[in-house]
């Protein structure tokens, strides 16, 4: 039952949304805070952080303190690793705050479903964000593919974990998802632009001294029978690859750089695409503002479900230990 002492659910309003950010790590500093502080839709009031917060704003070390002492914080953005995000989200929901979840929305599907039900009961907005879906070429690619028959899809997501996630041990701990931490971005694009598909096999390569895979090969089948193959590699040095190649009955489209640009072989183009350093997070925060004002939630777990299937069906191989 809801705590009668807690503030009422955030009311629809036309002014800036008072927001607090929890977990001031790489993504909060690189994307969330620059976008929030430059958007007329938001006003940052506070952070919760064990490492010092964000200069110029109150910093709490406990989310409960921030929620109790900052009534202007009507919405909370959770930028922590997936492990432990559930408890933070419960605290925010129970305090009547709208919640923005970084990807992946939780460590398990059941956690996210419990949050969705809880938010609905409390009358607050819950947003499971998928930043790669806001990459500029993704929506045009979806429209292009919708008018064609897909014959085959090849997803290649190859990056250097030491460069992109230095010393982030949580990625190799249970719930950290390993190479699926970036790989789920590919799955978020694939589940947005392709017809429905499901996993048929997976091979997960797990370092002997770690709990989560560092490489994976997956095979899926689309409704209609076309093959989708996906290669995830976290040991790629040199050029980095985040590509989705979609072969259709009328041309081949390749998304490059995680959806930042698209190349179409054949006569069709995708038109001009907006690009910029924060375009994905600008899109996410515009969407969250719209959800808050309309008082509706958006919790699509389909990328996380594909990932969970890989962990359920995947064959595990132990490979060389990994050290930073
Ligand atoms: P990070 O640099 O390790 O930062 C996470 C922050 O969360 C920490 O700085 C810490 O903030 C807080 N935290 C709370 N519990 C923690 C724990 N057990 N271990 C480590 N940190 C903990 O991670 P990140 O790269 O920002 O990733 C956070 C989330 O954003 C993940 O879900 C990730 O998938 C997603 N994401 C990351 C990127 C990226 O490029 N790195 C891109 C898109 C999405 P305080 O010190 O302030 O308490």
């Amino acid at each position: 039952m809801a705590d009668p002492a807690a503030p009422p659910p955030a009311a629809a309003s036309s002014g800036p949304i008072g927001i607090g950010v929890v977990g001031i790590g790489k993504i909060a500093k690189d994307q969330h805070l620059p976008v929030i502080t430059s958007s007329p839709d938001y006003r940052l009031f506070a952070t919760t952080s064990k490492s010092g917060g964000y200069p110029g704003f109150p910093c709490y070390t406990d989310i409960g303190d921030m929620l109790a002492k900052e009534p202007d914080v009507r919405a909370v953005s959770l930028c922590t690793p997936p492990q432990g995000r559930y408890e933070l989200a419960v605290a925010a929901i129970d305090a009547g705050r709208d919640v923005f979840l970084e990807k992946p929305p939780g460590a398990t599907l059941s956690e996210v479903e419990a949050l969705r039900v809880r938010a609905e009961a409390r009358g607050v907005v819950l947003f499971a964000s998928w930043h790669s879906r806001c990459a500029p070429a993704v929506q045009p690619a979806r429209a292009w593919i919708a008018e064609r028959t897909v014959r085959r899809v090849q997803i290649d997501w190859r990056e250097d974990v030491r460069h992109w996630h230095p010393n982030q041990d949580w990625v190799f701990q249970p719930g950290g998802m390993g190479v699926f931490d970036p790989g789920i971005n590919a799955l978020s694009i694939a589940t947005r632009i392709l017809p429905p598909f499901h996993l048929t096999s997976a091979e997960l390569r797990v370092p002997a001294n770690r709990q989560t895979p560092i490489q994976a090969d997956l095979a899926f089948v689309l409704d209609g029978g076309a093959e989708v193959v996906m290669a995830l590699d976290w040991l790629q040095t040199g050029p980095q690859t985040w590509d989705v190649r979609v072969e259709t009955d009328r041309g081949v489209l390749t998304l490059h750089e995680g959806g930042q640009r698209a190349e179409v072989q054949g006569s069709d183009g995708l038109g001009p695409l907006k690009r910029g350093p924060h375009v994905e997070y600008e899109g996410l925060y515009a969407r969250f503002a719209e959800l808050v004002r309309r008082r509706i939630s958006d919790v699509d777990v389909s990328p996380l479900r594909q990932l969970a299937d890989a962990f359920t069906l995947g064959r595990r191989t132990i490979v060389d230990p990994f050290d930073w």
Side-chain angles (χ1 to χ4, degrees):
M1 208 171 106
D3 174 7
S13 137
S14 57
I17 298 161
I19 194 162
V21 177
V22 181
I24 310 301
K26 183 171 189 330
I27 199 61
K29 289 178 194 158
D30 287 356
Q31 300 288 342
H32 291 257
L33 291 161
V35 169
I36 288 170
T37 53
S38 61
S39 167
D41 286 330
Y42 294 93
R43 187 165 160 207
L44 180 66
F45 277 97
T47 64
T48 298
S49 168
K50 296 204 170 26
S51 62
Y54 192 56
F57 293 89
C59 175
Y60 297 83
T61 53
D62 179 81
I63 190 173
D65 280 348
M66 179 178 81
L67 297 170
K69 292 175 184 158
E70 299 283 349
D72 290 323
V73 169
R74 307 305 309 160
V76 173
S77 200
L78 300 181
C79 306
T80 53
Q83 308 100 318
R85 200 176 297 136
Y86 171 81
E87 289 77 10
L88 298 169
V90 164
I93 291 168
D94 288 358
R97 278 27 182 243
D98 298 324
V99 177
F100 177 125
L101 301 169
E102 243 303 349
K103 55 74 27 177
T108 69
L109 284 164
S110 297
E111 274 183 16
V112 184
E113 174 60 8
L115 292 178
R116 191 191 64 73
V117 169
R118 199 175 191 107
E120 187 176 317
R122 188 66 178 87
V124 302
V125 171
L126 185 66
F127 179 36
S129 72
W130 297 107
H131 65 87
S132 291
R133 289 181 172 178
C134 292
V138 170
Q139 191 55 33
R142 182 182 197 222
W144 188 91
I145 292 165
E147 294 175 355
R148 289 161 173 80
T149 301
V150 177
R151 301 278 198 231
R152 187 175 185 278
V153 180
Q154 168 88 42
I155 301 172
D156 285 295
W157 230 250
R158 301 174 192 276
E159 63 174 55
D160 181 355
V161 64
R162 292 183 175 90
H163 176 79
W164 298 104
H165 297 272
N167 298 313
Q168 290 183 2
D169 276 323
W170 61 263
V171 297
F172 286 114
Q173 291 162 358
M177 302 176 193
V179 73
F180 286 89
D181 178 77
I184 203 167
N185 297 331
L187 290 169
S188 75
I189 292 174
T191 50
R192 173 54 59 91
I193 66 175
L194 298 175
F197 59 91
H198 65 270
L199 188 79
T200 54
S201 70
E203 184 184 344
L204 313 176
R205 290 189 278 284
V206 181
N209 59 342
R210 304 282 174 168
Q211 295 291 323
T212 60
I214 197 159
Q215 293 168 322
D217 286 299
L218 299 96
F220 305 86
V221 63
L222 282 182
D223 285 6
E227 168 190 59
V228 180
V229 294
M230 179 171 181
L232 305 177
D233 185 356
W234 236 356
L235 293 174
Q236 169 132 326
T237 53
Q240 309 283 284
T241 307
W242 301 280
D243 287 356
V244 181
R245 176 185 161 92
V246 184
E247 299 169 21
T248 76
D249 57 336
R250 287 185 294 125
V252 178
L253 178 148
T254 307
L255 287 173
H256 296 288
E257 300 167 44
Q260 293 300 312
R261 63 186 177 88
E263 180 189 328
V264 176
Q265 292 172 7
S267 56
D268 301 284
L270 294 184
L273 303 172
K274 183 188 172 205
R275 298 187 66 172
H278 301 304
V279 68
E280 294 179 17
Y281 282 78
E282 285 169 2
L284 288 182
Y285 274 98
R287 172 75 176 145
F288 186 50
E290 180 195 0
L291 294 172
V292 168
R293 298 213 163 96
R294 294 172 57 200
R295 310 303 308 150
I296 50 177
S297 291
D298 177 354
V299 186
D300 175 11
V301 294
S302 55
L304 185 58
R305 191 166 54 233
Q306 298 286 358
L307 179 156
D309 286 355
F311 278 74
T312 306
L313 197 59
R315 177 186 298 273
R316 280 167 179 72
T317 308
I318 302 302
V319 296
D320 288 346
F322 173 84
D323 291 300
W324 299 105

